[in-house]
């Protein structure tokens, strides 16, 4: 049975619906799909089997945490397809990923990445911390497709990959500032489709497929760092990655090699901040500043939560306020933030006896 046959299996489509609807069954698009669930799944099954499936239009909105980003929400039936596709393809991706790629993976996640980063900071003197400029807008469809093809055991799903990629073409065009790489011709490359600079690029932020494909896009780079640079202390969370060493000059050599290698994927770094630093200075990573022996919450994270909490208190229910506070506490408890949490909540009179927040 090839991957496309596994994709359209009834059990897989039922599981895809269950995963896509989890926590959302009260929303109108999900409820409408569920009303005629068997009919809708049969329709999708037929379209996927006949390769006539076409994605719908995205709904776009901006979020401003941690920075302004354009989020693209696919129609619910498309999200079912995304889950069905990931159900059958992700196990093959997982076999290829290095252990220290932490984003979106079961048993990994933000807090495991923070723990690993701090653990490395205790064993090395210096860190080279990097993040990719315009990562999701920069992802080249040709390179991504080639990478996915190499990671999957057969080509039977590539038609669907192509369909989903095409649906997101141009979504992040306004978020991308053109970068030319060796071999590009700036005078004719843009818009001609002949040179790499004119190829389709960008993954909609919001798709489940985008989250996994972004990991796949940088998977060859992960192996380059571990095998060719022979860096024993490396981790990545989406487009943020850190290398550790006891030698500043070694990290500078690795930095030069990284810039050259990322150009193969048509990616660049925020070079102004990508320089070795002592771990004792603190590493800003995933909302915290990490030191070898303690952690602090980034100041702007606290400011953002105060603004959001004030809005929730003014506009939301008591349960919504409590859920918001509890979610924040569950995150910041991974740092040395007990005093900050008490001060933050006391400012909103949320430390009354019996509230149980902290």
């Amino acid at each position: 049975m090839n991957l496309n046959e596994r994709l359209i299996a009834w059990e897989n489509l039922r599981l895809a619906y269950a995963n896509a609807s989890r926590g959302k069954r009260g929303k109108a698009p999900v409820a409408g799909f569920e009303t005629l669930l068997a009919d809708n799944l049969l329709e999708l099954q037929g379209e996927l089997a006949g390769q006539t499936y076409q994605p719908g239009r995205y709904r776009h909105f901006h979020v401003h945490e941690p920075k302004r980003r354009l989020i693209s929400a696919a129609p619910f039936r498309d999200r079912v397809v995304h889950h069905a596709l990931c159900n059958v393809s992700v196990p093959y991706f997982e076999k290829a990923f290095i252990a220290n790629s932490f984003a979106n993976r079961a048993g990994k996640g933000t807090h495991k990445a923070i723990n690993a980063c701090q653990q490395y900071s205790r064993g090395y003197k210096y860190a080279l911390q990097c993040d990719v400029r315009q990562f999701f807008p920069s992802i080249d469809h040709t390179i991504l497709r080639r990478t996915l093809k190499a990671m999957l055991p057969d080509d039977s799903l590539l038609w669907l990959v192509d369909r989903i990629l095409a649906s997101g073409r141009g979504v992040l065009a306004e978020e991308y500032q053109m970068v030319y790489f060796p071999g590009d011709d700036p005078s004719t490359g843009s818009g001609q489709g002949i040179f790499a600079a004119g190829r389709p690029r960008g993954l909609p932020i919001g798709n489940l497929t985008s989250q996994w494909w972004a990991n796949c896009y940088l998977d060859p780079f992960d192996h380059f760092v571990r095998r060719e640079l022979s860096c024993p202390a490396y981790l990545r969370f989406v487009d943020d990655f850190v290398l550790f060493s006891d030698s500043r000059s070694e990290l500078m050599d690795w930095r030069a090699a990284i810039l050259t290698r990322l150009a193969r994927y048509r990616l660049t770094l925020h070079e102004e901040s990508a320089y070795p630093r002592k771990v004792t200075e603190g590493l800003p990573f995933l909302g915290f500043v990490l030191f070898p022996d303690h952690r602090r919450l980034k100041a702007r994270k606290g400011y953002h939560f105060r603004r959001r909490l004030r809005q929730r208190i003014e506009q939301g229910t008591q349960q919504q306020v409590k859920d918001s506070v509890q979610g924040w506490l569950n995150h910041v408890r991974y740092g040395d933030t007990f005093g900050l949490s008490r001060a933050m909540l006391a400012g909103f009179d949320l430390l009354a006896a019996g509230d149980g927040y902290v």
Side-chain angles (χ1 to χ4, degrees), residues 84-230:
L85 177 57
C86 288
N87 287 346
V88 298
S89 59
V90 164
Y92 297 98
F93 301 156
E94 287 283 5
K95 291 178 182 179
F97 291 158
I98 66 169
N100 278 4
S101 172
F102 286 95
N104 308 311
R105 302 174 63 190
K108 304 287 185 179
T110 303
H111 299 127
K112 292 288 182 67
I114 291 170
N115 289 341
C117 189
Q118 186 174 46
Q119 190 64 37
Y120 280 140
S121 76
R122 292 168 178 160
Y124 295 89
K125 294 180 180 178
Y126 301 101
L128 174 64
Q129 189 170 11
C130 306
D131 67 294
V132 178
R133 293 181 66 249
Q134 308 175 110
F135 179 49
F136 278 87
S138 299
I139 291 176
D140 182 288
H141 290 190
T142 299
I143 297 173
L144 174 60
R145 189 183 191 277
R146 183 167 63 236
T147 302
L148 296 176
K149 177 180 171 68
M151 298 176 79
L152 295 172
D154 64 57
D155 298 344
S156 62
L157 290 178
L158 292 182
W159 75 270
L160 183 54
V161 170
D162 292 338
R163 209 65 57 86
I164 295 172
L165 283 175
S167 74
R169 181 175 181 176
V171 165
L172 294 178
E174 294 185 2
E175 311 290 319
Y176 181 76
Q177 296 177 344
M178 178 60 72
V179 178
Y180 292 103
F181 294 88
D184 293 345
D185 182 348
S187 65
T188 60
S190 178
Q192 297 301 313
I194 299 173
F195 299 92
R199 294 197 302 237
R201 68 176 69 86
L203 289 183
I205 301 174
N207 282 358
L208 178 66
T209 49
S210 295
Q211 297 171 22
W212 284 105
W213 293 353
N215 263 350
C216 294
Y217 197 78
L218 282 177
D219 179 65
F221 174 77
D222 292 339
H223 290 281
F224 161 75
V225 173
R226 297 300 298 270
R227 295 175 182 175
E228 297 189 37
L229 297 186
S230 299

Side-chain angles (χ1 to χ4, degrees), residues 264-333:
R264 294 190 184 186
Y265 315 122
R266 305 191 64 79
L267 298 175
T268 58
L269 294 179
H270 288 281
E271 293 188 42
E272 67 281 358
S273 60
Y275 283 96
R277 60 193 301 172
K278 291 182 179 180
V279 296
T280 52
E281 296 175 3
L283 302 176
F285 188 64
L286 300 181
F288 291 89
V289 180
L290 307 180
F291 299 85
D293 58 351
H294 67 284
R295 307 170 183 178
R296 294 295 185 212
L297 186 73
K298 281 186 177 179
R300 61 182 174 82
K301 290 287 186 178
Y303 298 145
H304 174 78
F305 174 72
R306 286 182 65 88
R307 289 195 300 270
R308 189 174 60 188
L309 181 58
R310 184 175 290 108
Q311 293 173 353
R312 183 69 75 185
I313 291 173
E314 293 173 352
Q315 303 172 10
T317 65
Q318 184 177 4
Q319 185 60 48
Q320 288 173 330
V321 172
K322 189 165 186 175
D323 290 345
S324 181
V325 171
Q326 196 60 57
W328 187 73
L329 291 176
N330 287 340
H331 175 62
V332 301
R333 69 186 175 87

